[in-house]
Amino acid sequence: MHTRPRMGLDTCDAARLTRKDETKMERPQDYVLRRVEERGIRLVRLWFTDVQGQLKSFAISPAELETAFENGMMFDGSSIDGFSRVREEDMVARPDPATFELMHWSGNDENAARMFCDIERADGSPFPGDSRQVLRRSMERAHAEGFTFFTAPEMEYFLFEAERNGDPVPLDQGSYFDLTTADVASNIRRQTLTTLEAIGIPVEYSFHEDAPSQHEIDLRYTDALTMADNVMTFRLIVREIALEHGVHATFMPKPLTGVQGSGMHTHLSLFRDGVNAFYDPESPDGLSEVARGFIAGLLHHAREITAVTNQLVNSYKRLVTGYEAPVNVSWARSNRAALIRVPTARTGGVDDTTRIEYRSPDPACNPYLAFAVILAAGMKGIEQGYELPLEAPPSMTGFTEHGGLIDQAQLPQSLAEALDEMEKSELVADTLGDHLFSWFLRNKRREWSDYKSQVTPFELDRYYSSL
């Protein structure tokens, strides 16, 4: 990403109203109420995210909107996986007016808008199972130290034929940056870009990725909470537009054997008082002590946060040697096999492009939780003064030993191993909170157990005839 980070909220008119001098300005919720009336909105969809990162929604009429702002909207929390026990079933969804957007991308003719919600208990206290509040809590801790956390993910995904009787069928055989002329995939990507820009989600780049029918759209820097909202919106838009064209879009990390999977390489930076805290003009490599501490924190805690950034059994089919996904816990400037890459900053004394790229997350993660643990790990490195190990050599591929790298050289190689590391982590437990930490481990252990009990086509092909 090569431009100064922009607050994502500046693309939403409502956010421009959230200033200290609100006595002279329209409140964000009043702005939303006025827009709803002026545009003749018939439905307002309230969005929130469950623990696994699945988008949930219910709709209210405009007549209920003022009440929703004042008191929130009650719903049955026990019906949402990971939210509540039956005896604690009453939850409140409180809409965030800064996230108000018209649903321009809807495939039908409904005149609707949406807002993201924070989830509260019936008594008004924050619900500990709300992943959006987990990220907000991590960002508030960083803000207490003077930092604002910015992210910019590279969103990769596949487009396949809608009908699947066997292996997924790609729409093209293109590779990196291929111009696939006027085929359906190019049309879908073009419509996706237009829709994203129309609802205030700026795009940095878009292109055909390396694997057949694989695409990448890079979102422009913004603060991490806004970006997590954008990622949730992005995934829905991509799937709905694909569906309109009669194809299937998937953010599954590894849908095809023998080609690379889909990652969510995420560019990260901290700003303090409007200045990039990762940049130091006096440093030979341009990296500040803040940046070096942040990288060291990510390396030190990488194994224990991987279950959150890569939460599926399938995620670990991508994190293997030979497919441009990280395997080692290492950092480098020019080596894309490393877990953390320091991209080249723009020349000419521009300091706002200094950043790091964390390459293990995949697009199936819960972005709120992923950004929260990434920030917590980096901040831990800054606060504790972790020492940055030696940079990985450019020749590094796969699993090799490197003098100066931390002892635990590999990322977890399975969901089970990642969960074992997470379970021992005080950092992840503190970041997620007891409720989410316990539920996540319990749910993902069950997923691993279900996976272990399955007989796969690989096993049948390898063993059935010969044994």
Side-chain angles (χ1 to χ4, degrees):
M1 308 303 116
H2 301 291
T3 54
R4 178 178 297 275
R6 302 190 306 174
M7 293 297 292
L9 298 180
D10 71 7
T11 63
C12 175
D13 290 340
R16 297 193 184 103
L17 306 173
T18 56
R19 298 180 179 177
K20 294 181 181 179
D21 192 11
E22 290 189 348
T23 58
K24 299 180 181 179
M25 301 188 70
E26 188 176 32
R27 296 183 307 164
Q29 52 266 45
D30 293 333
Y31 166 84
V32 171
L33 291 168
R34 179 168 56 80
R35 283 292 303 278
V36 166
E37 182 176 0
E38 290 174 350
R39 298 299 295 263
I41 300 299
R42 296 196 297 269
L43 283 177
V44 179
R45 298 195 177 277
L46 303 184
W47 288 5
F48 57 97
T49 305
D50 71 9
V51 180
Q52 297 191 80
Q54 296 297 311
L55 193 61
K56 303 294 181 179
S57 172
F58 61 90
I60 62 173
S61 71
E64 298 295 324
L65 191 53
E66 191 166 2
T67 298
F69 283 134
E70 292 179 1
N71 303 314
M73 299 299 294
M74 196 82 72
F75 71 97
D76 179 8
S78 65
S79 62
I80 308 298
D81 197 13
F83 263 36
S84 176
R85 297 182 295 274
V86 173
R87 63 185 178 90
E88 298 174 337
E89 63 180 9
D90 290 334
M91 295 291 160
V92 175
R94 187 176 297 276
D96 180 351
T99 65
F100 175 83
E101 287 288 355
L102 302 177
M103 295 181 67
H104 298 291
W105 67 91
S106 180
N108 53 48
D109 60 356
E110 71 175 14
N111 191 5
R114 70 96 165 104
M115 282 182 285
F116 282 93
C117 296
D118 295 312
I119 306 303
E120 301 173 351
R121 294 189 186 277
D123 62 5
S125 61
F127 172 55
D130 179 16
S131 53
R132 196 169 190 261
Q133 304 226 43
V134 168
L135 176 55
R136 179 181 284 110
R137 188 167 64 239
S138 283
M139 293 180 67
E140 287 173 349
R141 290 175 180 174
H143 188 71
E145 301 297 323
F147 295 112
T148 302
F149 182 46
F150 289 92
T151 63
E154 301 174 359
M155 303 298 298
E156 297 177 351
Y157 60 96
F158 282 85
L159 295 175
F160 295 121
E161 291 185 5
E163 298 297 326
R164 184 177 73 85
N165 298 319
D167 292 337
V169 179
L171 303 182
D172 62 61
Q173 294 299 315
S175 185
Y176 271 128
F177 304 116
D178 277 358
L179 179 62
T180 50
T181 64
D183 64 2
V184 65
S186 294
N187 292 336
I188 293 171
R189 195 168 73 234
R190 183 167 52 252
Q191 183 179 344
T192 301
L193 294 176
T194 302
T195 303
L196 291 171
E197 293 286 354
I199 65 168
I201 299 180
V203 171
E204 188 88 30
Y205 298 104
S206 71
F207 51 90
H208 195 290
E209 251 290 348
D210 181 53
S213 208
Q214 187 183 31
H215 301 269
E216 177 175 318
I217 297 178
D218 300 349
L219 304 184
R220 188 185 294 272
Y221 257 113
T222 188
D223 68 280
L225 183 60
T226 302
M227 183 57 74
D229 291 342
N230 287 350
V231 168
M232 297 303 301
T233 305
F234 175 91
R235 295 195 301 209
L236 179 65
I237 288 173
V238 167
R239 287 193 293 261
E240 288 200 349
I241 291 177
L243 187 62
E244 289 177 19
H245 288 263
V247 304
H248 178 71
T250 182
F251 292 95
M252 183 178 177
K254 186 77 168 185
L256 294 175
T257 300
V259 300
Q260 72 178 50
S262 290
M264 192 181 81
H265 307 153
T266 303
H267 296 250
L268 315 167
S269 67
L270 292 176
F271 272 60
R272 180 161 47 191
D273 298 325
V275 177
N276 189 346
F278 278 5
Y279 175 69
D280 180 2
E282 303 300 322
S283 172
D285 59 6
L287 290 177
S288 68
E289 287 303 311
V290 169
R292 299 177 74 84
F294 198 95
I295 296 171
L298 279 174
L299 292 174
H300 187 85
H301 297 286
R303 285 174 57 84
E304 61 203 74
I305 70 173
T306 299
V308 179
T309 59
N310 305 82
Q311 67 164 334
L312 305 181
V313 165
N314 181 256
S315 297
Y316 298 85
K317 306 294 178 69
R318 167 180 165 258
L319 298 178
V320 295
T321 302
Y323 295 101
E324 298 188 13
V327 176
N328 294 321
V329 179
S330 58
W331 75 283
R333 289 172 177 80
S334 59
N335 191 340
R336 293 180 182 271
L339 172 63
I340 298 173
R341 186 176 72 93
V342 180
T344 302
R346 181 182 294 174
T347 59
V350 179
D351 65 352
D352 59 8
T353 62
T354 301
R355 65 204 186 278
I356 66 174
E357 178 187 1
Y358 196 61
R359 295 178 58 83
S360 65
D362 64 52
C365 71
N366 180 328
Y368 301 98
L369 301 186
F371 293 162
V373 296
I374 287 171
L375 176 58
M379 289 300 300
K380 194 75 168 181
I382 296 171
E383 295 161 1
Q384 298 297 318
Y386 289 171
E387 183 177 352
L388 185 62
L390 296 179
E391 180 182 356
S395 61
M396 184 197 77
T397 57
F399 177 56
T400 56
E401 297 292 339
H402 302 292
L405 292 182
I406 56 179
D407 292 336
Q408 46 192 29
Q410 275 194 309
L411 289 174
Q413 296 298 289
S414 69
L415 179 60
E417 184 181 348
L419 293 172
D420 289 343
E421 292 293 328
M422 174 179 166
E423 192 166 23
K424 297 180 292 186
S425 173
E426 293 182 6
L427 179 134
V428 177
D430 180 61
T431 302
L432 300 188
D434 292 341
H435 178 101
L436 269 177
F437 185 73
S438 299
W439 182 91
F440 191 97
L441 286 170
R442 184 169 59 252
N443 179 273
K444 293 302 173 179
R445 293 283 190 200
R446 184 164 59 247
E447 180 179 337
W448 177 253
S449 178
D450 291 344
Y451 174 71
K452 286 199 304 180
S453 68
Q454 299 299 310
V455 177
T456 66
F458 173 87
E459 294 165 279
L460 293 172
D461 293 342
R462 175 69 62 98
Y463 307 125
Y464 181 77
S465 298
S466 60
L467 297 176

